[in-house]
Amino acid sequence: MSTAGQVIRCKAAVAWESGKPLSIEEVEVAPPQKNEVRIKILFTSLCHTDVYFWDAKGQNPMFPRILGHEAGGIVESVGEGVTDLEPGDHVLPIFTGECKECAHCLSEESNMCDLLRINTDRGGMIHDGKSRFSINGKPIYHFLGTSTFSEYTVVHVGQVAKINPEAPLDKVCVLSCGMSTGFGATVNVAKPKKGQSVAIFGLGAVGLAAAEGARVSGASRIIGVDLNPSRFEQAKKFGVTEFVNPKDHDKPVQEVIVEMTGGGVDRSVECTGSIQAMISAFECVHDGWGVAVLVGVPNKDDAFKTHPVNLLNERTLKGTFFGNYKPRTDIPAVVEKYMNKELELDKFITHSVPFSEINKAFELMLAGEGLRSAVAWESGKPLSIEEVEVAPPQKNEVRIKILFTSLCHTDVYFWEAKGQNPLFPRILGHEAGGIVESVGEGVTDLEPGDHVLPIFTGECKECAHCLSEESNMCDLLRINTDRGGMIHDGKSRFSINGKPIYHFLGTSTFSEYTVVHVGQVAKINPEAPLDKVCVLSCGMSTGFGATVNVAKPKKGQSIAIFGLGAVGLAAAEGARVSGASRIIGVDLNPNRFEQAKKFGVTEFVNPKDHDKPVQEVIVEMTGGGVDRSVECTGSIQAMISAFECVHDGWGVAVLVGVPNKDDAFKTHPVNLLNERTLKGTFFGNYKPRTDIPSVVEKYMNKVRLSSCLGMESNKEMWVMMQELELDKFITHSVPFSEINKAFELMLAGEGLRCTFPFQKDDADCVVLPACESQCSLEDFLVKSVNKDVLLPKETEVSVEQHINNNGLSVQCNSSEHIVTHIAVEDSTSATPDFTDSEHVDISSCDTLNDPAIRNSVTTSVRPARSRKLPQHLSDYQVDIPKVRKSSHIVAQASRQWNERLTTALIQQGFRQAKSDASLFTKGEGPDFIALLIYVDDVVVASPNSTEISLIKQFLHDSFKIKGL
């Protein structure tokens, strides 16, 4: 449903008073007026300027107000007079503007637009002075003309930079202010020459951007000045070579710098807003040629003071605003620098928090926190976020940058140290996904940049167990919970101020970087989303494999799952995939039962509800016992119950959970003699390096399932589903800084898996602002082939309408719509296997003139000859019926060619019809339609007869399709 011209209700973080936490409120956002644009904000970031005006110290307070000015989003609608932007454009709202008409905008030397120059006291829009935000009719003030702490905002068109739609908005959003300001201050204003020295005052985000500019410019010495020594190590990544903390000296810092450089630095850039830092930055530059550039925003009553001789001695003092960049003209080019890898932005983003926790971001900024790891100092005590040193990898070791990690019950178990040997201080964590940063001696099958999952167990590929097809219990790398160092030398690669920190399970993924033995690293498909597949490092693989690899239920059998946590539900998922007819969930927490239905569980038993052992309950309800059982709790009583509830003669019980060290399994020998089988499994019997990559592929692959989802009665839908679903296991995600919150959730029995992003990974999805938006459908389809598509919750469109409009299906959960590719088939097709008798006759005009048949043409796919889909492109056949006004091609092609065929049609002049994302047209009306639709392994194209030769030639040249 189009929202253009309507008031939008959405969430916004409102500052009601200075210094008080922001409140998440529902606000009304009015439509854009003349020369205004309404933007859906997808990503926003926190800048120190937001905190500064929120504090309202030294500035005029203006509340209630929606802060925020660093963001990226998509144009939702435009007002009168806007000609160079349209709905669907990817944009960065900028706190300053460019009208393109005033003297400053027409000058090559200034970006200080007369019309849109920053005005911190303006709380409304330029057009009429009114706010576009309100709550129950009460206006809410704008901030810097952007107010990006709102899901939708209205901005003057002159403050909107249109950027490359391929640029990741979660990264380039920081170019809206801080990064551009700092980087531009150096490269555009200070302009250091190669080999010169530069001092950077303030090593926050803007200062580090300035340092990055100095590094790119070829500065030989980059001296970082900051009161926070914890920032120094991080600053090295941005080229900073030396550090000065003014607290460490009994003289002004400018004198210290003059002494250490033999007269002063060639350039300095001040990025703090402190008036004293500004003075120091100027007085530390060399006389004769020194240039100092001031960036930070001072208090309104501050005054810059220095002796005039400092100027007379041929030093230069400059101020810069937004790095001297013109927002609309220059920022798109800066984005291209990032896209071309000339400018690194990823390393600037150290935290990511949900919008609902925006106040946490304020706390982090006020605390000056940067990169950290989580350390458990004592059993059962909250983990402490610490800065650690991570040594380089040694022989047969790999150092990995962890991008996503998750919490498993095993982490909690060893953190509590109940029944296990305590080993502290320690960095826990063993479920994660990351990228290889470096490798040690002897590592040949991994290299920097590889996407990997570190695994808590290993595969040396040389011992008897690794060479056996029946075991994954590697002799060299078998799990050892008491080992706190690396196998190579027994030493830890982690330390704090020289003190070693113990490893955990050889992985220790609760650290931004970790060192792991190469045998414990699974190299995976780089296209796999690490925030999802990271859970395969332990729990999901353990549970799923316990069922499919060890219990091996047959289709139609019954199975009992003990424990409906993440591992247990993974075991249930394995049972569902295997075709079990009854899946009985056993858990002490009844809150888990409803959730378990999503994983195929059909019945539930809570031992608390019965006055007899649960195994007896299950034997009675199943008439002798279940065929299989999988125990996933670690409780010794659950293990015994899981064994004693299986049917005699053929019953198999599989034990998964980790028991306490003093536990003993006890049962009467007759239970075994009656031909029950008891098995244990470790990591689902998967070999880490050999098998886990293929498990990842199960997640990446899709299978064809039948569904209807409200389609017309004469149509049937085949939905492409994943062979292994992981998304439903991840119920929470918290910032790494709030890792203890995840421990609380698990101890409370809430949720399944909680992931912690160290930095937001590139999403393996396409973000579409609304199904009926006017964004580029060509872009949308090309990007979304074989991927999931994320629709906002606000998208108000029925499932049936969306399917009809875009050829997609919608699967909803509590927070978002997940859209996957679908295909529509004629109701005569009862199974995915086609037969010759099912061929639709479209060989004559009379047939096509029948509305029922004509409508089915665009939704029917039939192979020309064979009953089975061909496996090789050389086998493809094409059937081209001869008709007067509408020609039809049925071309079979594997799914991997779908995106290429789509792109090629667009490149050859076709465009997609707005009413259907699968339709390509070159003219008006049905006679000018070319249809491209994805149905399992089949692509259908229906061009107009005058364009037959074009498509035939393309299919022949590109896909070697015969019979054209």
Side-chain angles (χ1 to χ4, degrees), residues 880-953:
I880 309 173
K882 300 180 188 287
V883 292
R884 275 200 310 268
K885 287 191 175 181
S886 182
S887 297
H888 188 70
I889 291 180
V890 178
Q892 300 175 23
S894 68
R895 71 181 65 168
Q896 66 180 328
W897 299 107
N898 192 30
E899 183 171 355
R900 286 181 56 186
L901 184 53
T902 303
T903 304
L905 286 172
I906 293 170
Q907 290 174 343
Q908 295 191 31
F910 290 91
R911 67 179 186 276
Q912 288 168 287
K914 292 184 178 179
S915 61
D916 190 330
S918 299
L919 295 179
F920 290 78
T921 179
K922 269 192 173 180
E924 302 297 332
D927 294 334
F928 294 88
I929 288 178
L931 173 66
L932 178 70
I933 188 168
Y934 171 51
V935 182
D936 195 29
D937 284 344
V938 181
V939 171
V940 180
S942 304
N944 144 272
S945 58
T946 61
E947 297 159 344
I948 281 285
S949 59
L950 176 68
I951 299 299
K952 288 192 330 187
Q953 189 63 44

Side-chain angles (χ1 to χ4, degrees), residues 30 68 132 141 164 347 388 396 410 416 565 580 645 688 694 778 816 823:
R132 303 292 177 256
Y141 291 119
N164 185 340
K347 60 188 179 183
V388 301
N396 293 327
T410 303
E416 289 182 316
C645 79
S694 63
E778 291 92 343
E816 61 192 9

Side-chain angles (χ1 to χ4, degrees), residues 788-918:
D788 287 345
V789 182
L790 183 63
L791 286 179
K793 187 177 181 181
E794 304 83 46
T795 303
E796 297 177 1
V797 59
S798 69
V799 171
E800 184 172 350
Q801 180 183 0
H802 189 74
I803 290 171
N804 291 339
N805 285 353
N806 293 296
L808 303 172
S809 67
V810 179
Q811 173 186 353
C812 301
N813 59 30
S814 61
S815 62
E816 61 192 9
H817 297 297
I818 303 297
V819 184
T820 55
H821 291 285
I822 66 100
V824 181
E825 294 217 40
D826 203 274
S827 59
T828 58
S829 179
T831 70
D833 294 323
F834 304 121
T835 66
D836 292 335
S837 62
E838 294 171 332
H839 185 75
V840 177
D841 181 10
I842 56 173
S843 60
S844 72
C845 293
D846 293 336
T847 303
L848 283 174
N849 286 334
D850 182 336
I853 297 296
R854 189 176 182 87
N855 289 338
S856 73
V857 167
T858 59
T859 60
S860 300
V861 178
R862 301 292 179 264
R865 301 177 184 176
S866 118
R867 290 174 177 268
K868 293 185 178 180
L869 296 179
Q871 299 299 310
H872 304 287
L873 292 173
S874 60
D875 296 332
Y876 292 172
Q877 304 293 324
V878 176
D879 177 23
I880 309 173
K882 300 180 188 287
V883 292
R884 275 200 310 268
K885 287 191 175 181
S886 182
S887 297
H888 188 70
I889 291 180
V890 178
Q892 300 175 23
S894 68
R895 71 181 65 168
Q896 66 180 328
W897 299 107
N898 192 30
E899 183 171 355
R900 286 181 56 186
L901 184 53
T902 303
T903 304
L905 286 172
I906 293 170
Q907 290 174 343
Q908 295 191 31
F910 290 91
R911 67 179 186 276
Q912 288 168 287
K914 292 184 178 179
S915 61
D916 190 330
S918 299

Side-chain angles (χ1 to χ4, degrees), residues 628-769:
R628 301 290 187 269
S629 71
V630 182
E631 178 282 321
C632 305
T633 69
S635 160
I636 191 61
Q637 187 54 53
M639 293 179 179
I640 295 170
S641 298
F643 174 62
E644 295 183 350
C645 79
V646 299
H647 207 288
D648 56 7
W650 61 78
V652 178
V654 179
L655 308 184
V656 177
V658 179
N660 290 322
K661 64 177 182 178
D662 297 324
D663 283 338
F665 184 92
K666 298 178 182 178
T667 190
H668 198 284
V670 171
N671 292 320
L672 289 162
L673 295 173
N674 283 341
E675 299 181 347
R676 295 178 178 91
T677 300
L678 178 63
K679 292 186 175 185
T681 179
F682 175 68
F683 193 47
N685 276 37
Y686 287 119
K687 293 179 185 285
R689 300 163 77 183
T690 300
D691 297 330
I692 292 304
S694 63
V695 180
V696 169
E697 291 307 309
K698 285 183 179 291
Y699 172 75
M700 298 295 286
N701 293 339
K702 297 182 187 296
V703 294
R704 202 161 175 262
L705 301 176
S706 176
S707 180
C708 57
L709 288 179
M711 295 294 293
E712 301 172 21
S713 59
N714 67 330
K715 300 287 179 67
E716 184 175 13
M717 180 193 307
W718 295 97
V719 184
M720 305 309 295
M721 303 293 290
Q722 291 159 321
E723 290 182 51
L724 172 61
E725 299 176 20
L726 294 178
D727 303 50
K728 59 188 178 182
F729 286 97
I730 302 169
T731 54
H732 296 82
S733 181
V734 301
F736 182 64
S737 58
E738 295 179 24
I739 191 171
N740 291 296
K741 176 70 174 178
F743 278 68
E744 295 169 10
L745 289 168
M746 182 162 283
L747 290 170
E750 297 183 19
L752 300 177
R753 274 297 185 268
C754 182
T755 59
F756 320 104
F758 283 96
Q759 65 182 49
K760 185 167 179 57
D761 201 16
D762 291 338
D764 191 18
C765 69
V766 180
V767 180
L768 188 65

Side-chain angles (χ1 to χ4, degrees), residues 442-463:
V443 176
T444 57
D445 54 354
L446 289 173
E447 61 184 12
D450 283 345
H451 286 222
V452 295
L453 301 184
I455 312 290
F456 69 97
T457 185
E459 181 185 1
C460 71
K461 294 192 174 184
E462 296 178 356
C463 71

